[in-house]
């Protein structure tokens, strides 16, 4: 007989991950409570779903520190990050899976805050949670909580690819760069910014949908997370064997982010972002694309920053305000660990 | 320009997870090397796949300690575990995603051993890796390496469910119970078993396929991982509002596992398994099902252990050798953490 007990105490215990009665209580009283309405197929070994036509699939592990930061938390990040990855392939998320790894002793009220946020953005994404897993590890086996999500959805705007970008396309950014990296760094180091800088963490599909629906010719999309836009642009240049020239003075960077970069010796183009993307778009469509983006919440600072060409294949060239040029290299070294 | 470097040193460094050039080197020189032939859609933000009709999807995080154990390692476990979960819903894995979280300083040769094993069982499963992620965390942020996989495949034998098991079905086990839990415990505690006991970790679809193809009427399948068969049977009894009676003397348990249980005060039916499952089958098909299972590699010790009925709904009854009966309760308490 299943004994009726309830979640006791204020901390997660090892027994909550044992696969026995206490696991059931944790799942029912915490996960189901916060996620009801967004779950399909609970209580089975696997969820059953259906996606007609081609689907995009992406997985990511989230280990960010601190767990809560201005503009988001690990729960919001775990939903937005994986949904954004499939949005970059022209897909709207339909299903999400989530695996939680939790350290023994983790505060139940913090887990609830994370689940509330996870649930909020899952609803906003329109996706359903189709499979989940919870592991509890002994104290010291991991730092607090990690979440791995896998998103999948039908490809509604097909043929986007990092490998097929032609020369003579426009390179756009959908928003300011470096906000996420700068705020995580500042929060972690206890730097008081005296500003309202927040992570840009957001779902990107709603911003892209009007581009897809207005027949804008897009060749590639990529959210500039770890490695920043310098990483994305170098990956594209290499994958498509093209050159990319960027005008430095067109890079949209907030003053606070510039300040942090100057203070700490970072470059904004290497910093992680969680709510903006790089776009390669047919030049003739770039003006219309910007008009459309500027009407969206997350695209209001969108900017055309450069173009692709057939000189210097596999290279990214940064053109400075004074007409001088230099290569924008792949980010190198440690950068900032646990940024996402 | 992408500088040509190669993987240097014998340990994983933080820079290997930065999203920059060193991340590219790690992915290319280690992951692609071992997984080539089993990857689809590399180099994009998301993989593109297609599954006609209904698909089963399951995610699991693997945090086992020790990483290498008799009969397997975390790489084998991460493939088999998630593929088995969808096999329990009648699906053969077509795609797998994998997220690796690695501690700074982890030995590259150990990562290679894990990837070799991961690759071997991925090939055996027939699935392709469609999306991957690698995070490197500073020393102390996690214990060595965790892997989260998500498996999905087309449902070929539909309508399996823990919620629709009728009364008067046969309950079968596909193999011996407790091997995985017992060997992990012994290995972790340094107990010398002086035996060849191994984890049962294995892919289960090949064992189930002939049942599916021979029109055996199966109501439900469940691999008995965390919580053991006691967990599965109690979940089924609750989900389907039935009673389940088990004959204790029919439980297939190896002598070594019995010995460890007696020594340490465990019950084999609470121990985790990674290569066997519980089956609810139409009584008239149970003999044929056993004949079929006995011809397979992982089903050669399959046994009918009990039946479902309408007395004592939501309960599991253990009938002992001497005719006495008692309730087989849901596993409770801490059991063994980091078993999978």
């Amino acid at each position: 007989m299943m004994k009726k007990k309830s979640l006791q105490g204020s901390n997660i215990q090892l027994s909550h991950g044992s696969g026995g009665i206490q696991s059931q209580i944790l799942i029912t009283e915490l996960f189901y409570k916060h996620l009801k309405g967004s779950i399909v197929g609970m209580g089975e070994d696997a969820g059953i779903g259906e996606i007609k036509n081609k689907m995009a699939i992406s997985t990511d592990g989230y280990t960010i520190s601190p767990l809560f930061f201005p503009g988001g938390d690990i729960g919001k990040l775990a939903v937005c990050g994986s949904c954004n990855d499939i949005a970059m392939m022209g897909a709207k998320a339909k299903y999400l899976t989530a695996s939680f790894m939790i350290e023994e002793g983790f505060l139940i009220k913090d887990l609830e805050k994370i689940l509330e946020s996870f649930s909020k953005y899952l609803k906003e994404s329109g996706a359903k949670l189709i499979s989940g897993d919870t592991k509890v590890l002994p104290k010291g086996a991991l730092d607090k909580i990690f979440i791995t999500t896998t998103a999948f959805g039908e490809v509604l705007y097909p043929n986007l690819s990092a490998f097929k970008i032609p020369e003579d396309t426009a390179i756009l950014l959908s928003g300011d760069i470096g906000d996420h990296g700068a705020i995580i760094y500042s929060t972690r180091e206890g730097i008081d910014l005296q500003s309202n800088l927040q992570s840009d963490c957001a779902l990107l599909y709603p911003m892209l949908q009007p581009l897809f629906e207005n027949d804008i010719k897009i060749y590639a999309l990529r959210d500039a997370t770890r490695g920043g836009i310098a990483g994305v642009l170098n990956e594209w240049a290499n994958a498509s064997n093209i050159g990319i020239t960027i005008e430095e003075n067109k890079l949209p960077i907030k003053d606070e982010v510039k300040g942090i970069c100057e203070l700490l010796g970072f470059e904004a183009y290497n910093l992680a972002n969680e709510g903006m993307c790089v776009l390669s778009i047919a030049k003739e469509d770039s003006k219309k694309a910007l008009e459309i983006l500027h009407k969206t919440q997350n695209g209001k600072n969108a900017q055309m920053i450069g173009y692709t060409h057939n000189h210097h294949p596999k290279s990214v060239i940064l053109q400075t305000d004074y007409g001088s040029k230099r290569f924008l290299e792949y980010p190198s070294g440690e950068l900032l660990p646990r940024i996402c």
Side-chain angles (χ1 to χ4, degrees), chain A:
Chain A
M1 272 176 302
M2 187 156 167
K3 283 186 196 142
K4 283 283 164 226
K5 285 187 186 170
S6 67
L7 203 59
Q8 285 157 349
S10 55
N11 300 79
I12 294 293
Q13 298 155 33
L14 274 181
S15 60
H16 290 129
S18 65
I21 186 84
Q22 289 85 357
S23 294
Q24 295 282 334
I25 291 167
L26 177 74
I27 299 303
T28 311
E29 295 193 11
L30 231 61
F31 284 77
Y32 286 178
K33 182 180 93 177
H34 288 287
L35 294 164
K36 76 177 169 230
S38 290
I39 297 185
V40 284
M42 55 183 158
E44 308 280 10
D45 256 358
I48 303 295
E50 194 165 11
I51 289 180
K52 290 184 172 55
N53 308 316
K54 297 223 182 275
M55 60 179 168
I57 299 152
S58 187
T59 197
D60 247 324
Y62 301 89
T63 64
I64 194 164
S65 173
L67 297 174
F68 303 95
F69 49 85
D73 57 64
I74 192 172
K76 178 180 182 181
L77 189 66
V79 174
C80 296
S82 294
C83 290
N84 287 348
D85 279 342
I86 66 164
M88 298 304 116
M89 298 302 281
K92 182 174 192 288
K94 184 173 180 185
Y95 301 114
L96 194 82
T97 72
S99 152
F100 289 78
M101 294 173 178
I102 310 172
E103 187 183 19
E104 176 189 15
F106 191 68
L107 286 175
I108 289 178
K109 71 173 174 52
D110 282 347
L111 182 55
E112 293 220 64
K113 275 167 69 181
I114 290 166
L115 288 174
E116 273 168 25
S117 175
F118 186 95
S119 172
K120 179 181 172 188
Y121 291 95
L122 186 61
K123 281 199 183 78
E124 194 172 310
S125 77
K128 299 285 182 188
L129 190 70
I130 197 163
S131 176
D133 180 47
T134 310
K135 293 278 169 11
V136 180
L137 287 82
K139 227 171 169 43
L142 83 165
D143 184 25
K144 298 186 183 77
I145 186 169
F146 303 158
I147 306 174
T148 296
T149 54
T150 305
F152 31 118
E154 189 182 350
V155 178
L156 300 169
Y157 189 101
N159 299 320
L160 293 169
S161 171
F163 294 87
K164 291 185 244 166
I165 303 171
E167 57 182 277
D168 214 27
T169 75
I171 297 291
L172 277 61
L173 296 185
S174 72
D176 296 347
I177 59 171
D179 293 9
H180 181 75
I183 196 70
I184 295 300
Y185 195 90
S186 312
T187 308
R188 206 183 290 175
E189 300 296 315
I191 298 170
D192 183 6
L193 291 178
Q194 300 191 305
S195 85
N196 292 321
L197 185 65
Q198 293 201 326
S199 165
D200 59 344
C201 184
L203 289 163
L204 290 175
Y205 192 86
M207 177 189 80
L208 297 168
Q209 190 175 7
L211 294 179
F212 299 154
E213 290 172 350
N214 280 279
D215 291 326
I216 299 296
K217 178 61 199 163
I218 312 171
Y219 294 99
L221 297 171
R222 182 70 59 102
D223 53 340
T225 57
R226 276 184 295 175
I229 67 161
V232 172
L233 294 168
N234 274 285
E235 276 176 38
W236 281 4
N238 278 282
S240 289
N241 197 30
I242 48 170
I244 302 178
T245 291
I246 299 300
E247 294 176 64
E248 190 171 37
N249 69 351
K250 294 205 173 153
L251 292 176
I253 312 176
K254 289 190 177 72
D255 287 340
E256 300 98 304
V257 175
K258 277 184 187 156
I260 292 171
C261 284
E262 278 167 21
L263 193 70
L264 300 166
F266 294 146
E267 297 289 356
Y269 42 69
N270 288 336
L271 289 181
N273 311 275
E274 290 293 340
M276 59 78 64
C277 66
V278 191
L279 307 91
S280 158
I281 286 187
K283 270 191 178 164
E284 61 273 23
D285 285 353
S286 59
K287 197 175 152 217
K288 191 175 168 198
L290 282 172
E291 284 169 12
I292 292 171
L293 286 169
H294 289 158
K295 286 179 196 152
T296 66
Q297 196 183 340
N298 290 303
K300 57 184 186 293
N301 294 343
Q303 176 80 283
M304 179 172 155
I305 61 159
Y307 57 97
T308 64
H309 48 73
N310 62 2
H311 332 299
H312 298 293
K314 299 187 190 294
S315 302
V316 181
I317 294 150
L318 197 68
Q319 202 163 285
T320 67
D321 296 5
Y322 315 105
S324 67
K325 290 178 182 185
R326 62 184 179 87
F327 289 119
L328 178 63
E329 304 283 357
Y330 241 106
S332 184
E334 294 193 3
L335 301 172
L336 202 55
R338 305 192 64 186
I339 194 78
C340 60

